[in-house]
Amino acid sequence: MINPDFAPLDDTYRHRGLRRQLVLELGRKGIADARVLEAIGAVPRHVFFETAFINHAYEDKAFPIGAGQTISQPYTVARQTELLGLPAGAKVLEIGTGSGYQCAVLVQMGYKVFTIEYQPELARRSKRLLQRLGLSPADALQGDGSQGWPTRAPFDGILVTAGAPGVPEALRSQLAPGGKLIIPVGDLQKQEMLRVTRQPGGTFAEERFGGFRFVPLKGTQGWG
Ligand code: SAM
C-alpha cells in the first residue's frame, strides 16, 4: 500500500539550505557537471518523500516510497544524469518513474522526458505530483518499460533506474544515432553501471562505471 500521507509542497529556507549542502556533498563525491548540480539544487527532493522520512530528504541515501520501491540516492541520480551528458532539448526515456524525483531532475535539465513506471499506484502518484510541481514529462506511461516505448522512439538517451540482468535488445534498438543508454546490469544483489552508445554505422560501444545497488527491473526483459 502507498502511504497517502505525503510531504506538503512548500520549499522553505531550511530545505533550500539543506539542498545547497547536498549539492556541495555531491561535488565532493565527484559529480562535476554544473548543469546536473544546478538541477539537483533546484528540485525540492523532500516533496517526493513520505512524511515519516522527510527529515532525511537531503541525506545522500535511498529511502522507501511504498510498493516495495525506493527513491534513488541523490549521488546515483546525479551520476546517471551526468553519464547521459546530453544537451538541453534532448529526448530522454526514463524507465522506473518511482517517486518522480529523477524525472523532475531530467525535466529541470531541459530534456523532453518520457517516463514509464511498472507499479500502477506509483505511476498515478508521481504523475500528479510532477503536475503540481510544474515539472511534468512530455508523456508518462504505466507498464513494462523493459521493452522501451517503441512508438515514441528513437531517444537520444535512455536511463534505467532499476537493476537489469542484461542489456535489453529493445532498448538498444530504440537509441537514436549517437544516443546513450545508461543501465545498471548485474545480479539481484549488485550491478555495474553501463553506458551503451549507438555509434555511426549502428554498432554499440560499451563503457563501465562501477558498482551500484538497485531494486530489480521487472518485466519481460527484466527479472520477470
Ligand atoms: N527514478 C526513481 C525515483 O527517482 O524515485 C527510482 C525508483 S526505483 C529505484 C525503480 C523503479 O523502477 C521502481 O519504482 C519500480 O517499480 C520501477 N520498475 C521496475 N521494473 C520496471 C519496468 N519493467 N518498467 C517500468 N518501471 C519499472
Side-chain angles (χ1 to χ4, degrees):
M1 267 304 285
I2 303 279
N3 180 354
D5 182 22
F6 263 72
L9 292 192
D10 20 332
D11 191 24
T12 65
Y13 184 74
R14 181 173 156 272
H15 293 130
R16 292 196 294 274
L18 291 170
R19 209 148 62 237
R20 275 196 294 277
Q21 293 304 315
L22 174 63
V23 166
L24 292 175
E25 183 179 348
L26 296 179
R28 284 195 298 277
K29 288 180 173 173
I31 302 300
D33 186 331
R35 296 172 314 147
V36 174
L37 291 172
E38 215 175 285
I40 299 268
V43 175
R45 187 169 187 254
H46 62 280
V47 304
F48 296 88
F49 270 59
E50 297 188 10
T51 44
F53 299 116
I54 194 165
N55 286 335
H56 303 284
Y58 293 102
E59 293 171 13
D60 188 22
K61 288 184 188 156
F63 275 92
I65 52 172
Q69 304 302 321
T70 53
I71 178 170
S72 299
Q73 183 183 343
Y75 176 79
T76 304
V77 171
R79 189 71 180 121
Q80 287 198 284
T81 309
E82 184 172 68
L83 288 174
L84 273 179
L86 295 167
K91 189 174 158 192
V92 174
L93 172 65
E94 180 199 24
I95 295 161
T97 322
S99 68
Y101 176 67
Q102 168 81 74
C103 177
V105 169
L106 294 170
V107 171
Q108 181 72 33
M109 297 275 298
Y111 297 145
K112 183 173 185 197
V113 182
F114 296 82
T115 185
I116 309 178
E117 170 55 45
Y118 196 80
Q119 302 275 355
E121 307 104 294
L122 291 177
R124 271 197 299 274
R125 191 178 68 202
S126 56
K127 191 171 186 175
R128 262 201 325 268
L129 180 54
L130 289 164
Q131 263 165 8
R132 289 179 66 196
L133 289 170
L135 290 169
S136 285
D139 207 354
L141 188 70
Q142 187 270 313
D144 177 11
S146 72
Q147 314 214 48
W149 196 336
T151 55
R152 296 298 205 162
F155 300 100
D156 302 309
I158 301 178
L159 198 157
V160 182
T161 73
V167 179
E169 198 41 52
L171 299 188
R172 275 184 211 267
S173 69
Q174 289 171 36
L175 286 175
K180 293 172 191 149
L181 163 63
I182 314 297
I183 181 167
V185 171
D187 57 30
L188 290 169
Q189 271 68 51
K190 195 170 188 303
Q191 303 87 34
E192 190 166 31
M193 193 65 74
L194 301 190
R195 177 165 64 189
V196 179
T197 306
R198 186 176 203 136
Q199 316 268 51
T203 57
F204 295 93
E206 209 169 278
E207 300 162 274
R208 287 159 191 273
F209 295 93
F212 287 80
R213 198 190 158 130
F214 282 83
V215 295
L217 181 71
K218 301 206 165 98
T220 56
Q221 306 301 305
W223 294 97

